[in-house]
Amino acid sequence: MQNLDAMESGLEDAIASLRGQGDAPSKDCVAAALLTAEKQAKRDKVRYRYDQLLGTWLLGFITGTTKTRQKAGVAMGAGRFIPRFLKIQLTYEATDLDSGLGTVTNTVSLGILRLQLTGPTKFWPKTNSLAFDFTHIEVKLGGLKFYAGPVRGGADRAASFEQQTLKDQAFFTYFVMTETCIAARGRGGGLALWTCEAP
């Protein structure tokens, strides 16, 4: 795993803040720190293992995709922290650890409303990329299940997922994986930082 001491303090401060252990640094500082970490990982040819991703991660900071940043301009700036009233979590579980196959659950919680998307994943170790597809959706309002079912032919897409190449899939390419955080660039060009919640 990478040593956060070797990275810019902006990233360390952001992680501490997201885990409730300090004040948040500026958005520009966090975005710059993520870019530095990405460049360092490429330069050092860092390689990760699929098992390092397993678990639940809380989304804390995003820069948006290249397209949305062009549209948003100054409004988006270098990125933004996810507001605390909105909880967005990724949970990765393995179904075949040796083959890098598993599932992802993306849970978005806002008050009593909970939206949950699930689907298959595949880890590509040569590029530190995790391909994914959301094939099932569940919507709950409090304890009431409002809807649950496949997403746009989800069963067929799930069945063919393993045969697809990386270029045919949505994916995150990870450049930071530690015990407290993960960071990645999405296929659309945006950067994202997730943390595990403080014990």
Side-chain angles (χ1 to χ4, degrees):
M1 289 189 180
Q2 287 165 283
N3 182 356
L4 286 181
D5 292 336
M7 297 182 191
E8 290 189 2
S9 60
L11 190 52
E12 294 177 309
D13 292 343
I15 293 162
S17 172
L18 292 170
R19 302 182 82 218
Q21 299 168 349
D23 296 329
S26 73
K27 294 179 290 184
D28 287 346
C29 185
V30 178
L34 287 170
L35 287 171
T36 297
E38 183 182 36
K39 290 177 183 176
Q40 177 183 322
K42 288 180 179 179
R43 183 181 65 244
D44 297 343
K45 297 181 180 179
V46 176
R47 291 292 175 264
Y48 296 115
R49 303 184 315 274
Y50 177 44
D51 63 279
Q52 292 176 263
L53 270 179
L54 303 182
T56 297
W57 304 94
L58 180 66
L59 182 62
F61 183 86
I62 58 171
T63 66
T65 65
T66 303
K67 185 175 182 180
T68 57
R69 288 194 64 183
Q70 288 172 347
K71 287 184 177 180
V74 175
M76 187 62 170
R80 63 180 56 190
F81 288 95
I82 304 300
R84 294 188 182 276
F85 61 80
L86 179 63
K87 194 171 187 179
I88 304 174
Q89 293 175 301
L90 282 180
T91 300
Y92 291 127
E93 297 179 286
T95 55
D96 186 339
L97 194 58
D98 292 336
S99 299
L101 298 173
T103 60
V104 59
T105 301
N106 185 18
T107 305
V108 180
S109 302
L110 179 61
I112 63 171
L113 177 64
R114 189 179 77 168
L115 171 68
Q116 198 167 69
L117 295 163
T118 58
T121 63
K122 182 176 181 179
F123 187 65
W124 298 78
K126 289 185 178 180
T127 57
N128 297 323
S129 299
L130 188 81
F132 63 91
D133 191 6
F134 293 123
T135 57
H136 189 272
I137 186 172
E138 180 179 285
V139 182
K140 284 187 175 181
L141 195 60
L144 177 65
K145 185 181 292 186
F146 188 72
Y147 176 80
V151 180
R152 302 186 318 276
D156 291 337
R157 296 206 321 276
S160 63
F161 180 82
E162 291 181 31
Q163 283 71 51
Q164 296 175 5
T165 62
L166 182 61
K167 68 182 177 124
D168 296 323
Q169 300 168 323
F171 60 84
F172 287 119
T173 297
Y174 287 90
F175 53 88
V176 174
M177 285 190 200
T178 75
E179 293 180 354
T180 58
C181 75
I182 55 177
R185 183 179 291 279
R187 179 171 180 168
L191 298 173
L193 172 67
W194 297 261
T195 63
C196 63
E197 296 184 88

